[in-house]
Amino acid sequence: QVQLVQSGAEVKKPGASVKVSCKASGYTFTSYEINWVRQAAGQGLEWMGWMNPNSGNTGYAQKFQGRVTMTRNTSISTAYMELSSLRSEDTAVYYCARIAVAGTVYYSDYWGQGTLVTVSS
Amino acid sequence: DIQMTQSPSSLSASVGDRVTITCRASQSISSYLNWYQHKPGKAPKLLIYAASSLQSGVPSRFSGSASGTDFTLTISSLEPEDFATYYCQQSYSTLLTFGGGTRVEIK
């Protein structure tokens, strides 16, 4: 069965970087794009960007341009999201999700369990 | 970016009620609209994709429709497990965006 398993919770100081991993299993990793979504406490879902595990191509929401990097290691079917220059507003649960396609419509059908990143001095 | 505006931001309803949530896109997005359910401490769950296609395993009381740039998620008869927050998401642009969410609470 399809599973996305994320790395554990992180506590970081302002200005630091965090790298969250997302290990895929149960399907061909390079056949589906991965996107990242976050939710801060009391806030809604916020889409951060996508990565094509086959080509390595990425697309980032304007808000995160210059601060986020999405990469992958195909040998271990794992996607990564690194966010730099962390500030307190980046405290959130971060999710990875697989992007499926129906015709030309993209949607996230399988999700990781979420990783809490806390930014605090 | 394409803006997605959901309404209402919250609602109170009883088990058995018919519930309708609306999402409006800032421009035409054809049928590139998905709906997700999100419960605290859980990962979001896909309900509807392509505006009206029911994801496998999702109960048939959930349905989606579209009219121009307005999209609707309907729960025909609310069940106890349906109390959650619902989000629309456009995938017309390669830079996806979510609506602000609609919290469905118990009356």
Side-chain angles (χ1 to χ4, degrees), chain A residues 39 44 47 95 104 106-108, chain B residues 32 34 36 38 42 91 96:
Chain A
Q39 184 182 40
W47 185 81
Y95 296 97
T104 56
Y106 293 81
Y107 53 91
S108 295
Chain B
Y32 292 78
N34 308 316
Y36 299 89
H38 194 204
K42 302 272 191 178
S91 61
L96 313 182

Side-chain angles (χ1 to χ4, degrees), chain B residues 75-97:
Chain B
I75 309 173
S76 60
S77 179
L78 205 60
E79 295 287 339
E81 60 267 30
D82 299 338
F83 292 96
T85 302
Y86 294 84
Y87 294 91
C88 62
Q89 179 197 48
Q90 65 78 22
S91 61
Y92 179 83
S93 166
T94 56
L95 303 182
L96 313 182
T97 46

Side-chain angles (χ1 to χ4, degrees), chain B residues 12-31:
Chain B
S12 294
S14 300
V15 172
D17 284 354
R18 181 181 182 89
V19 168
T20 298
I21 298 167
T22 298
C23 181
R24 173 168 291 173
S26 60
Q27 66 178 73
S28 174
I29 59 169
S30 186
S31 295

Side-chain angles (χ1 to χ4, degrees), chain A residues 85-102:
Chain A
S85 303
L86 289 170
R87 35 212 189 225
S88 58
E89 310 89 88
D90 294 318
T91 294
V93 176
Y94 290 76
Y95 296 97
C96 63
R98 187 181 84 161
I99 298 177
V101 181

Side-chain angles (χ1 to χ4, degrees), chain A residues 75-87:
Chain A
S75 66
I76 56 172
S77 301
T78 300
Y80 302 93
M81 186 284 299
E82 183 169 21
L83 189 63
S84 63
S85 303
L86 289 170
R87 35 212 189 225

Side-chain angles (χ1 to χ4, degrees), chain B residues 2-75:
Chain B
I2 299 174
Q3 307 302 318
M4 306 301 296
T5 303
Q6 275 185 247
S7 61
S9 57
S10 66
L11 64 90
S12 294
S14 300
V15 172
D17 284 354
R18 181 181 182 89
V19 168
T20 298
I21 298 167
T22 298
C23 181
R24 173 168 291 173
S26 60
Q27 66 178 73
S28 174
I29 59 169
S30 186
S31 295
Y32 292 78
L33 192 284
N34 308 316
W35 289 99
Y36 299 89
Q37 177 192 66
H38 194 204
K39 296 181 179 179
K42 302 272 191 178
K45 175 185 176 182
L46 175 70
L47 300 175
I48 302 281
Y49 62 93
S52 60
S53 295
L54 191 68
Q55 171 68 348
S56 176
V58 174
S60 59
R61 62 180 179 274
F62 291 94
S63 64
S65 63
S67 177
T69 59
D70 291 339
F71 299 84
T72 299
L73 173 70
T74 300
I75 309 173

